[in-house]
């Protein structure tokens, strides 16, 4: 791992139910040693076997609002009646240590990060079709029909925002999608602006021409 080199901020985003979490987990299985996941904070109650401090930091509304006032979030959003946010200090410290930090967040939050930082890589995870998204939300079986409908309506409003991202990855099949995200991360590392100084050191080349 690089010393004194800022890590890459990778923002995986897209509509709820699209499978961002599953793609992220598959990505970590492929390349976990170089990536760290930024655990979000939420006021939503835990679902099923979710664990505090692993899946989310589950906090009260009061606690979340206190952190908003203290400017403790890189971004935060209200999503279908609950707050979700990325604790700021941790992400910054990890990037400074040269770590690759992965955020898995909804669209409004991703747009906030886009406005604040100039070094993030923004990946929109899209469903193969609207029907597939609806089926996934239904299959999850953890929400009421009303909440599912709210999530679908929100997704309809989010699809057009995909053009503001650097990349779009269709989650047709989880390992394929994770493979594509990994390819994006590798390509980002090879970008001239990120790799030219190493090239300069290795070959002693002068780029003044
Ligand atoms: P869920 O309730 O299904 O876990 O999450 C609802 C939505 O909030 C998902 O799209 C999820 O990716 C998003 N989300 C999770 N953590 C954060 C966060 O820290 N910030 C934002 N803006 N969205 C988040």
């Amino acid at each position: 791992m690089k010393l004194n080199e800022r890590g890459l901020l990778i923002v995986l985003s897209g509509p709820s139910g699209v499978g961002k979490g599953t793609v992220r987990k598959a990505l970590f299985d492929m390349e976990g040693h170089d990536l760290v996941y930024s655990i979000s904070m939420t006021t939503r109650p835990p679902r099923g076997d979710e664990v505090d401090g692993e899946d989310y930091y589950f906090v009260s509304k009061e606690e979340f609002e206190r952190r908003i006032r203290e400017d403790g979030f890189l971004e935060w959003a209200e999503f279908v009646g609950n707050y979700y946010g990325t604790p700021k200090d941790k992400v910054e410290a990890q990037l400074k240590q040269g770590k690759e930090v992965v955020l898995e967040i909804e669209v409004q939050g991703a747009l906030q990060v886009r406005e604040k930082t100039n070094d993030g890589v923004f990946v929109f995870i899209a469903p193969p079709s609207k029907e597939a998204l609806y089926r996934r939300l239904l299959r999850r079986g953890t929400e009421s029909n009303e909440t599912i409908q709210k999530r679908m309506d929100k997704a309809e409003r989010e699809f057009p925002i995909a053009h503001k991202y650097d990349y779009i990855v269709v989650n047709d099949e989880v390992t394929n999608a994770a493979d594509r995200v990994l390819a994006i991360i590798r390509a980002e590392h090879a970008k001239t602006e990120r790799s030219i100084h190493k090239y300069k050191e290795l070959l002693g080349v002068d780029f003044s021409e």
Side-chain angles (χ1 to χ4, degrees), residues 94-164:
Q94 286 165 332
L95 289 174
K96 265 195 189 144
Q97 287 167 24
K99 293 192 176 139
E100 321 284 30
V101 181
V102 177
L103 307 188
E104 182 205 311
I105 61 179
E106 55 70 65
V107 172
Q108 291 310 314
L111 294 181
Q112 289 174 44
V113 182
R114 172 121 253 181
E115 277 165 24
K116 281 187 192 167
T117 57
N118 48 18
D119 61 350
V121 181
F122 293 78
V123 183
F124 188 91
I125 310 283
S129 67
K130 288 180 187 173
E131 292 70 30
L133 181 65
Y134 187 63
R135 278 199 305 275
R136 273 186 208 166
L137 284 170
L138 271 184
R139 214 180 315 134
R140 203 151 75 173
T142 48
E143 268 100 3
S144 65
N145 284 347
E146 195 198 338
T147 308
I148 291 174
Q149 196 49 52
K150 276 192 193 156
R151 288 188 183 229
M152 272 312 286
D153 292 346
K154 198 158 175 72
E156 290 281 357
R157 296 194 296 276
E158 289 171 343
F159 292 138
I161 305 174
H163 81 276
K164 296 198 173 174

Side-chain angles (χ1 to χ4, degrees), residues 20 40 44 47 56 75 84-86 104-106 109 151:
K20 298 187 288 288
S40 295
R44 165 171 80 58
R47 275 201 291 252
Y56 283 106
E75 60 72 36
Y84 297 82
T86 303
E104 182 205 311
I105 61 179
E106 55 70 65
R151 288 188 183 229

Side-chain angles (χ1 to χ4, degrees), residues 8-206:
L8 198 59
L9 179 67
I10 301 140
V11 181
L12 297 184
S13 177
S16 162
V18 80
K20 298 187 288 288
T22 330
V23 172
R24 189 251 307 164
K25 282 176 190 152
L27 175 70
F28 274 67
D29 286 344
M30 290 173 185
E31 197 66 12
H33 57 287
D34 271 344
L35 302 171
V36 285
Y37 173 52
S38 159
I39 301 166
S40 295
M41 200 167 274
T42 185
T43 58
R44 165 171 80 58
R47 275 201 291 252
D49 55 2
E50 284 180 332
V51 176
D52 185 40
E54 266 179 42
D55 298 284
Y56 283 106
Y57 297 109
F58 296 100
V59 297
S60 66
K61 196 164 179 255
E62 293 69 32
E63 166 78 5
F64 199 102
E65 287 174 345
R66 184 178 63 76
R67 285 176 186 256
I68 295 174
R69 286 194 300 275
E70 290 172 356
D71 194 25
F73 293 110
L74 173 61
E75 60 72 36
W76 66 272
E78 195 168 354
F79 185 88
V80 195
N82 286 298
Y83 288 132
Y84 297 82
T86 303
K88 187 160 80 175
D89 294 353
K90 221 173 197 170
V91 170
E92 186 48 36
Q94 286 165 332
L95 289 174
K96 265 195 189 144
Q97 287 167 24
K99 293 192 176 139
E100 321 284 30
V101 181
V102 177
L103 307 188
E104 182 205 311
I105 61 179
E106 55 70 65
V107 172
Q108 291 310 314
L111 294 181
Q112 289 174 44
V113 182
R114 172 121 253 181
E115 277 165 24
K116 281 187 192 167
T117 57
N118 48 18
D119 61 350
V121 181
F122 293 78
V123 183
F124 188 91
I125 310 283
S129 67
K130 288 180 187 173
E131 292 70 30
L133 181 65
Y134 187 63
R135 278 199 305 275
R136 273 186 208 166
L137 284 170
L138 271 184
R139 214 180 315 134
R140 203 151 75 173
T142 48
E143 268 100 3
S144 65
N145 284 347
E146 195 198 338
T147 308
I148 291 174
Q149 196 49 52
K150 276 192 193 156
R151 288 188 183 229
M152 272 312 286
D153 292 346
K154 198 158 175 72
E156 290 281 357
R157 296 194 296 276
E158 289 171 343
F159 292 138
I161 305 174
H163 81 276
K164 296 198 173 174
Y165 287 68
D166 301 312
Y167 298 94
I168 298 176
V169 167
V170 175
N171 183 18
D172 45 3
E173 203 278 317
V174 175
T175 29
N176 284 344
D179 248 347
R180 275 176 238 138
V181 175
L182 189 54
I184 289 166
I185 295 173
R186 291 192 172 140
E188 284 293 323
H189 275 292
K191 264 198 172 162
T192 305
E193 69 208 40
R194 287 207 178 86
S195 57
I196 200 157
H197 63 282
K198 283 185 214 152
Y199 178 59
K200 195 172 170 179
E201 268 168 37
L202 282 173
L203 302 181
V205 180
D206 179 5

